[in-house]
Amino acid sequence: MSLETWKELEEEILACRKCERLVAWREQVAATKRKAFREQLYWGKPVLGFGDYQAEMLIVGLAPGAHGANRTGRMFTGDSSGDFLYRALYKAGFSNQPNASHRDDGLQLRNVYISAVCRCVPPLNKPTPSEVRNCIPYLHREIALLHNLRVVVALGRIAFEQVVTYFGLSPKPAFQHGGCYRGGLPAITILASYHPSRQNTQTGRLTEQMFDQIWAQAKSFLVRSIH
Ligand code: SF4
């Protein structure tokens, strides 16, 4: 497939208004803003996947953060979850810089593509099952375009369940941090990690060391050098 096909998919996602509740919420958050960002123009639209179209590794999160990706317009950019994720990816060699503050900050990913189950911010970070059903075909289409895919890292239970369903793992494994599975044809590796949400990182449920181990493990399944 050509880049043109990525372009078509991205244009379709950007124009999507399938989920009435999420369209209203993403626009409301963008209009009301957080005080610290009141001078900024919020993105307030569906957020596209981000990274290397030739990637061997895909990271799947849940949905844009209200004042992170829904503000900046790039996955995991501009909030504490993103700070935690991008620092870890940089340490592991997957990016050219450890920080992600806005869309034009120069961040480049190497051999990794980042996407999510839902492209629009949900109230309380909780998409409904029907909203997930509406949005998940976009992730499936991205997976089909990632021709070099070898590893998928699912951040959190919802992403993990969607990924193991897509790759047809049977019986379905229960989510556990560090879980590692094989599925699909041709087979790819699926790794489960706690989501780097503030709730998980500030309580110590997910430490930097635990997260570093996920990326070290993921790297062991890749062929292309990232250094
Ligand atoms: S969450 Fe996905 S399906 Fe729903 S409106 Fe946003 S882009 Fe469309």
Side-chain angles (χ1 to χ4, degrees):
M1 293 252 185
S2 67
L3 286 179
E4 206 52 39
T5 307
W6 276 103
K7 189 168 178 279
E8 283 166 11
L9 173 59
E10 290 172 352
E11 282 175 357
E12 191 177 326
I13 294 171
L14 281 175
C16 185
R17 301 182 70 85
K18 276 186 215 163
C19 310
E20 209 175 308
R21 186 183 80 118
L22 300 193
V23 170
W25 183 244
R26 76 192 189 201
E27 292 174 1
Q28 184 184 325
V29 171
T32 51
K33 307 182 183 182
R34 178 176 280 170
K35 208 172 169 190
F37 307 123
R38 65 178 178 270
E39 304 300 333
Q40 296 184 18
L41 184 64
Y42 272 51
W43 178 254
K45 292 179 281 198
V47 178
L48 299 176
F50 168 57
D52 180 354
Y53 291 151
Q54 306 302 322
E56 293 177 303
M57 181 170 81
L58 167 67
I59 299 171
V60 182
L62 174 60
H67 304 281
N70 187 58
R71 172 173 61 90
T72 63
R74 194 176 66 190
M75 287 283 173
F76 281 99
T77 298
D79 62 13
S80 60
S81 301
D83 292 345
F84 200 86
L85 174 65
Y86 285 119
R87 189 164 58 245
L89 291 179
Y90 174 71
K91 278 196 284 176
F94 287 108
S95 73
N96 65 332
Q97 61 187 48
N99 52 304
S101 53
H102 57 92
R103 280 203 312 288
D104 301 318
D105 59 10
L107 177 64
Q108 290 173 2
L109 299 184
R110 302 180 189 127
N111 211 6
V112 55
Y113 185 84
I114 303 179
S115 193
V117 168
C118 262
R119 313 303 165 124
C120 298
V121 55
L124 303 174
N125 293 321
K126 285 194 179 124
T128 64
S130 69
E131 288 161 353
V132 170
R133 276 197 300 278
N134 282 346
C135 211
I136 204 68
Y138 295 138
L139 178 67
H140 296 172
R141 287 163 64 183
E142 286 174 319
I143 291 172
L145 285 166
L146 290 166
H147 299 301
N148 301 319
L149 191 62
R150 301 178 73 89
V151 179
V152 180
V153 179
L155 301 177
R157 183 184 306 276
I158 294 176
F160 177 74
E161 286 172 354
Q162 290 300 323
V163 169
V164 296
T165 299
Y166 176 81
F167 286 104
L169 269 67
S170 180
K172 269 190 203 161
F175 173 79
Q176 61 172 54
H177 179 83
C180 181
Y181 312 91
R182 295 279 289 167
L185 267 178
I188 59 121
T189 301
I190 298 163
L191 287 169
S193 169
Y194 289 133
H195 190 284
S197 63
R198 189 187 286 263
Q199 198 182 3
N200 284 339
T201 56
Q202 289 199 335
T203 56
R205 190 172 199 219
L206 178 63
T207 64
E208 276 200 41
Q209 192 188 18
M210 287 164 69
F211 213 33
D212 289 346
Q213 283 167 0
I214 294 287
W215 309 114
Q217 197 179 356
K219 258 168 55 174
S220 72
F221 297 104
L222 305 180
V223 170
R224 211 170 100 201
S225 168
I226 51 174
H227 295 288

